[in-house]
Amino acid sequence: MFTGIIETLGEIIEIKKDKDNVHITIASSITEELKIDQSVSHNGICLTVVNKDKNRYTVTAISETINKTNISFWKSGEKVNLERGMKLGDRLDGHIVQGHIDQTGKCVSIQDKNGSWLYTFEYDTSHKNITIEKGSITVNGVSLTVVDSKTDQFSVAIIPYTFENTNFNTFEIGTIVNLEFDVIGKYVSKLHSNK
């Protein structure tokens, strides 16, 4: 379980294909604090630490994860948003984030708002995921509030701190991102569709 509040950025050092799996080695300032078998959110994807050495650690993604996320677009040298699982008793500063990506989305607009940024993302509605204005959404692991919601698009406002401390500052038009829709909204939508 995560909150969507990014702790730090990690740098992808190596990506190795192994049958249908991918092993990703990442350098990070939190590596020494990690342990084998620990879950860490990488751009919103919950991945398990399988190896660590000095300031680097390795996680493995299986085909199910690769097919639902933007991992196939990752490259060496790229920065990823990192968050360790929340501890019981911690404040929930973002919202309840599972680390289970629902689908990917595409950045279709970036507007400089003179001190903040408005990002618009488009997504495939065939998965029946929804957003609502003022509701929560997770983009690449970052807990955000939906500013504008349409059938197949939503916008989020990014403050300077988030822009500087996440990989949002690397996004361009066409960037593919991981989306995790609000878990409460998913349950409500499922209940409504069963009527």
Side-chain angles (χ1 to χ4, degrees):
M1 194 71 71
F2 306 95
T3 67
I5 304 300
I6 303 306
E7 283 187 72
T8 189
L9 288 165
E11 181 180 350
I12 299 172
I13 301 300
E14 184 178 46
I15 299 172
K16 272 189 183 172
K17 192 136 174 56
D18 176 20
K19 299 181 182 172
D20 285 342
N21 300 335
V22 173
H23 305 294
I24 305 148
T25 301
I26 294 166
S28 164
S29 60
I30 63 170
T31 301
E32 284 190 21
E33 301 168 46
L34 299 178
K35 60 183 198 301
I36 304 297
D37 204 27
Q38 183 173 358
S39 295
V40 179
S41 171
H42 300 75
N43 279 357
I45 309 163
C46 180
L47 296 170
T48 302
V49 176
V50 296
N51 193 13
K52 61 179 255 186
D53 181 32
K54 297 178 184 166
N55 73 329
R56 298 176 177 193
Y57 67 94
T58 302
V59 293
T60 300
I62 62 172
S63 58
E64 167 76 7
T65 304
I66 296 163
N67 292 337
K68 285 194 173 175
T69 68
N70 67 0
I71 283 179
S72 58
F73 296 98
W74 290 8
K75 297 178 179 70
S76 292
E78 189 172 326
K79 304 285 188 192
V80 291
N81 297 324
L82 300 178
E83 180 191 359
R84 287 175 283 180
M86 63 184 276
K87 296 178 188 173
L88 284 175
D90 279 357
R91 287 186 180 92
L92 183 60
D93 291 325
H95 72 281
I96 296 170
V97 177
Q98 296 179 296
H100 303 155
I101 303 304
D102 294 303
Q103 65 184 95
T104 57
K106 181 167 68 171
C107 183
V108 294
S109 172
I110 303 170
Q111 296 175 47
D112 188 331
K113 293 293 190 178
N114 196 29
S116 66
W117 293 263
L118 188 72
Y119 286 78
T120 302
F121 300 94
E122 186 177 78
Y123 61 96
D124 177 1
T125 57
S126 68
H127 299 284
K128 299 192 170 140
N129 292 309
I130 60 166
T131 60
I132 59 167
E133 288 180 23
K134 307 298 182 273
S136 297
I137 185 77
T138 307
V139 178
N140 267 13
V142 182
S143 172
L144 298 164
T145 301
V146 175
V147 173
D148 184 32
S149 175
K150 296 181 180 166
T151 302
D152 64 347
Q153 285 186 356
F154 66 90
S155 299
V156 291
I158 302 299
I159 62 172
Y161 181 86
T162 304
F163 184 83
E164 292 160 11
N165 291 282
T166 70
N167 60 13
F168 262 82
N169 58 40
T170 67
F171 291 3
E172 301 171 344
I173 305 301
T175 295
I176 304 298
V177 296
N178 294 317
L179 301 177
E180 181 180 331
F181 292 81
D182 181 45
V183 67
I184 296 167
K186 288 190 277 193
Y187 277 109
V188 170
S189 179
K190 180 80 170 168
L191 286 169
H192 181 68
S193 68
N194 287 340
K195 287 185 176 182

